[in-house]
Amino acid sequence: MNDTPNLALPYILAAQAQKHVTHNEAIRALDCLVQLSVASRTLTEPPASPDNGSRYIVASGAGGAWADQDGKVAAYQDGAWAFYAPRTGWCAWAVSESALLVYEAGAWSALPSDGGEGGSADLPTAFDGLAHVGINATGDTTNRLSLKSPASLFDNEGAGHQQKINKKTSGDTASVLYQTNYSGRAEMGLAGDDDFHFKVSPDGSTWYEAIKIDRSSGRVSFPNLALKQFSILDHRALGWSLTGTTSETALVSVLLPGGILGPNGAVRVTTLWTGTSNANSKSMKVKHAATSGIAGNNYTSASSTTTPTSKIQTEFHNRNSVSSQVGGLSAGTGGWGATSLGLTMGTVDTSADSYINISGILANAADTLTLEAYTIEVLCQP
């Protein structure tokens, strides 16, 4: 081989005469290609009075002294033009553009130097398999993308933009954590399940959940709500009807948010019913359970026959514990007065979400029982 494999620098051969000529030729090539900076890449003919050592990338369609040298690096050295064919991966700084050029796929292209707006963004085509990346910061094995900046912008490339945080399983966490001096103070997201949580912390160790949004219903609960007041949990008047079956059927299930009652809170349920006026029994029930449906501790067991309209009120109380309830079983259609029925005792954990279930039973499937309206009141007493 007479030349080096990458830059084609000439070797000085054994017993060669005038070795300085070959040596100087190699020096000239190095002087051109090392720390390569070109004045321009848009000229198709050489400038009229080039400076010694000036370098250019020959534009497509070149003529004159640059004919048939398209894409090559032209260097004016010792009064003559020398041309160097680039190879994939060569880099050159284009002074006229203030851009870094890379040679790939037979062409010179600019790497973006101002967020992609000032140069072609086709090179590089991708950065894949990087261990970590730091932008004005240092990435590591945990924070594999680190950014230190006054702000960050995620812009659209069309009509909209989605920022996605994905987790592998329901028990994992996908959240946004807000910190002070790298210590957590607030967090929102899917923290340990698929409900949406809002949490805060005074020190990064102890956390208090302020809001939870149920993934199945969209209902909002306040696990640390500490109200000492009366509030309406739910009120509807849509007319839910039961007919065609003699099986107990759930008409309404209302979520009672976990933590809202405290150890001494109470729930009062008022229902308005209408039913077929005949001798057949139409039974109306209000229950409290950990799940929706017809299950639960029954606090209303009223029935009607020839009375077409019934208004029933019942209530149950937490008895100095979030998991211990007591209530009187309402047997009449008013819910008040003496009854021979005993108390209903419950053990539902109200620190977690539970349900008020309202259901009905027909003795004759041809009859109709309608829950015309209901109001559920909560007496919050932590």
Side-chain angles (χ1 to χ4, degrees):
M1 294 179 61
N2 295 330
D3 300 318
T4 62
N6 291 316
L7 296 181
L9 304 178
Y11 285 126
I12 298 176
L13 302 179
Q16 176 182 323
Q18 295 185 315
K19 294 180 173 62
H20 67 281
V21 175
T22 302
H23 174 73
N24 290 340
E25 182 180 348
I27 292 297
R28 279 194 295 268
L30 290 173
D31 184 66
C32 171
L33 300 178
V34 174
Q35 300 290 0
L36 180 58
S37 174
V38 298
S40 172
R41 58 167 175 159
T42 60
L43 299 182
T44 57
E45 292 188 0
S49 301
D51 294 329
N52 187 44
S54 60
R55 293 165 292 180
Y56 298 83
I57 291 175
V58 180
S60 178
W66 286 0
D68 301 322
Q69 305 296 332
D70 294 6
K72 292 183 180 180
V73 177
Y76 191 71
Q77 297 172 319
D78 299 331
W81 288 103
F83 301 96
Y84 301 93
R87 295 194 177 188
T88 297
W90 280 25
C91 296
W93 179 256
V95 175
S96 62
E97 303 173 42
S98 294
L100 180 64
L101 311 178
V102 175
Y103 188 79
E104 183 180 71
W108 291 93
S109 298
L111 284 174
S113 59
D114 58 355
E117 297 177 4
S120 171
D122 59 343
L123 287 175
T125 56
F127 286 118
D128 295 324
L130 299 178
H132 46 74
V133 175
I135 303 175
N136 196 32
T138 301
D140 54 44
T141 55
T142 300
N143 302 295
R144 296 183 180 180
L145 174 61
S146 296
L147 166 68
K148 186 174 289 186
S149 170
S152 56
L153 173 65
F154 296 85
D155 205 350
N156 71 82
E157 196 180 27
H161 180 88
Q162 283 187 327
Q163 183 181 6
K164 300 179 180 179
I165 302 177
N166 181 63
K167 60 180 183 175
K168 185 176 181 180
T169 65
S170 177
D172 296 333
T173 293
S175 67
V176 177
L177 178 66
Y178 299 89
Q179 297 179 317
T180 296
N181 195 26
Y182 306 104
S183 176
R185 291 297 181 268
E187 184 177 12
M188 65 179 183
L190 311 180
D193 56 33
D194 288 337
D195 295 329
F196 201 79
H197 302 260
F198 294 83
K199 303 190 297 181
V200 293
S201 173
D203 54 14
S205 299
T206 303
W207 288 87
Y208 301 99
E209 186 165 30
I211 303 173
K212 183 173 76 170
I213 304 175
D214 185 84
R215 64 187 179 277
S216 301
S217 65
R219 292 183 180 274
V220 179
S221 60
F222 305 90
N224 281 290
L225 189 67
L227 297 178
K228 295 185 178 181
Q229 63 182 38
F230 160 85
S231 62
I232 301 294
L233 177 66
D234 199 15
H235 169 73
R236 304 292 175 90
L238 299 180
W240 299 262
S241 293
L242 169 61
T243 190
T245 179
T246 57
S247 298
E248 183 176 359
T249 302
L251 298 173
V252 171
S253 289
V254 177
L255 176 72
L256 181 64
I260 195 172
L261 291 182
N264 294 293
V267 174
R268 182 164 57 212
V269 183
T270 304
T271 52
L272 178 64
W273 304 80
T274 59
T276 306
S277 180
N278 58 30
N280 301 323
S281 176
K282 278 75 66 177
S283 299
M284 298 153 278
K285 296 183 179 295
V286 175
K287 299 179 178 180
H288 178 221
T291 58
S292 60
I294 62 173
N297 302 305
N298 188 20
Y299 294 102
T300 294
S301 187
S303 62
S304 67
T305 52
T306 58
T307 303
T309 302
S310 303
K311 184 176 183 180
I312 308 169
Q313 189 174 86
T314 190
E315 60 187 39
F316 64 88
H317 307 256
N318 269 357
R319 177 174 276 181
N320 204 33
S321 170
V322 295
S323 300
S324 177
Q325 295 85 43
V326 60
L329 190 62
S330 299
T333 56
W336 301 95
T339 176
S340 60
L341 301 175
L343 296 175
T344 295
M345 310 301 293
T347 57
V348 177
D349 181 8
T350 59
S351 67
D353 292 348
S354 58
Y355 291 85
I356 308 298
N357 298 324
I358 305 176
S359 61
I361 306 174
L362 297 174
N364 189 316
D367 292 340
T368 299
L369 176 64
T370 301
L371 174 62
E372 300 288 354
Y374 68 85
T375 300
I376 301 177
E377 305 162 272
V378 176
L379 290 80
C380 302
Q381 178 65 44

